[in-house]
Amino acid sequence: MKRGICVMANVLILGANGKIAQLAEQQLLSETKHHLTLFLRNASRLKVTDPSRETVIEGDATNQQALIKALDGIDIVYANLSGKNIEDQAKAVVGAIDRTNIQRLIWISTLGIYDEVPGKFGQWNHQQLDGGYLQTYAEAAKVIEGSDLDYTIIRPAWLSNKDIVSYETTQKGEPFKGTEVSRKSIADFVVKLINDPSQEIDHSVGVNQPNTDGDRPSWY
Ligand SMILES: NC(=O)c1ccc[n+]([C@@H]2O[C@H](COP(=O)([O-])OP(=O)(O)OC[C@H]3O[C@@H](n4cnc5c(N)ncnc54)[C@H](OP(=O)(O)O)[C@@H]3O)[C@@H](O)[C@H]2O)c1
């Protein structure tokens, strides 16, 4: 993968029907020249708006063979996945990319995987997300961090559908800031990294809306 600004890349989006993924796709289509390969289950759900720049592949992210096929000609992988088997998905994705010359992976995770959320909000976050979710997402992140890939793990705060792009970041090892962030902001951050893949290499980045500190997100 070449360093620096990337004007036209072939981007593979895993979980392309995900809510953040759809926002990132809209932004990538309107603001960039990248080609998007959209990998998802039940592909008929996805509406293609520009067939010259979008290729749809139906597949499951635990299926390494399907992933290897989808990686043909790809420069950057953006994984917007979820679910109880997220660790298996991480293993399949890393295993597939390892069989190619591709280096760059953007991986959406969650706040709290390093017990990095301080104070009362951190306690509340544990109450909401313990019992499987945080643990499996933490294991998946370990798979990504243990790989040789140029990865960026993104740890969003609690997600809103607000029509706002406003965010700040924290790094692994720093206390998480704020309580919430819009999906639009995460999509914007992903687009930034795709446009300049040399940013945030091998970093795990917390992303929150500034000035949203509190005991819980505003809608709780
Ligand atoms: N909600 C919050 O406040 C919050 C906060 C921080 C982080 N997060 C995490 O951020 C991530 C992205 O958020 P989002 O709102 O974009 O989530 P989302 O809409 O649920 O998107 C996740 C996508 O992953 C896909 N997926 C799951 N398993 C798959 C598999 N085996 N193969 C292929 N695709 C698979 C799902 O596909 P299907 O449609 O086929 O099921 C879904 O489209 C999620 O992991 C979420 O847990 C959430």
Side-chain angles (χ1 to χ4, degrees):
M1 169 96 248
K2 288 182 219 90
R3 298 283 186 241
I5 307 298
C6 202
V7 178
M8 217 196 92
N10 289 314
V11 183
L12 174 62
I13 303 182
L14 304 175
N17 203 47
K19 294 193 252 338
I20 298 171
Q22 287 190 51
L23 294 168
E25 285 150 26
Q26 283 165 22
Q27 194 175 341
L28 287 164
L29 287 172
S30 65
E31 292 180 8
T32 78
K33 294 192 181 334
H34 305 307
H35 184 276
L36 312 184
T37 299
L38 306 165
F39 184 99
L40 71 158
R41 305 185 287 197
N42 307 318
S44 61
R45 289 176 297 173
L46 201 70
K47 228 169 88 194
V48 168
T49 54
D50 183 351
S52 69
R53 291 182 55 205
E54 294 170 86
T55 303
V56 177
I57 297 182
E58 184 165 286
D60 190 297
T62 55
N63 182 340
Q64 205 172 96
Q65 287 313 313
L67 290 168
I68 291 169
K69 253 184 160 175
L71 286 164
D72 188 33
I74 293 298
D75 301 304
I76 303 175
V77 181
Y78 155 39
N80 195 99
L81 297 165
S82 67
K84 290 196 176 111
N85 64 350
I86 192 82
E87 185 184 355
D88 291 338
Q89 295 178 57
K91 285 179 181 163
V93 170
V94 168
I97 300 176
D98 276 347
R99 282 166 177 72
T100 71
N101 292 325
I102 302 161
Q103 274 299 117
R104 194 70 178 95
L105 172 64
I106 299 166
W107 180 266
I108 306 292
S109 180
T110 181
L111 80 166
I113 56 169
Y114 310 118
D115 202 16
E116 78 280 22
V117 186
K120 274 197 175 165
F121 174 55
Q123 287 168 19
W124 181 84
N125 198 55
H126 268 300
Q127 282 165 16
Q128 303 300 313
L129 303 182
D130 278 351
Y133 178 85
L134 270 186
Q135 290 77 4
T136 49
Y137 272 64
E139 291 307 314
K142 281 185 200 162
V143 173
I144 308 298
E145 291 171 317
S147 76
D148 293 330
L149 302 177
D150 291 342
Y151 67 82
T152 304
I153 293 172
I154 297 178
R155 289 175 283 119
W158 281 68
L159 292 163
S160 80
N161 291 322
K162 289 180 187 165
D163 189 14
I164 174 178
V165 174
S166 170
Y167 56 97
E168 63 185 353
T169 60
T170 49
Q171 294 292 335
K172 182 176 179 180
E174 295 177 348
F176 199 89
K177 282 190 192 169
T179 54
E180 61 182 79
V181 70
S182 69
R183 286 185 171 82
K184 243 188 157 171
S185 296
I186 303 300
D188 188 81
F189 187 50
V190 168
V191 171
K192 234 186 193 163
L193 295 181
I194 290 171
N195 285 338
D196 183 357
S198 66
Q199 287 186 50
E200 305 287 8
I201 297 257
D202 293 351
H203 288 180
S204 175
V205 186
V207 188
N208 69 284
Q209 184 179 327
N211 306 313
T212 60
D213 292 334
D215 295 349
R216 53 189 68 186
S218 60
W219 57 91
Y220 278 93

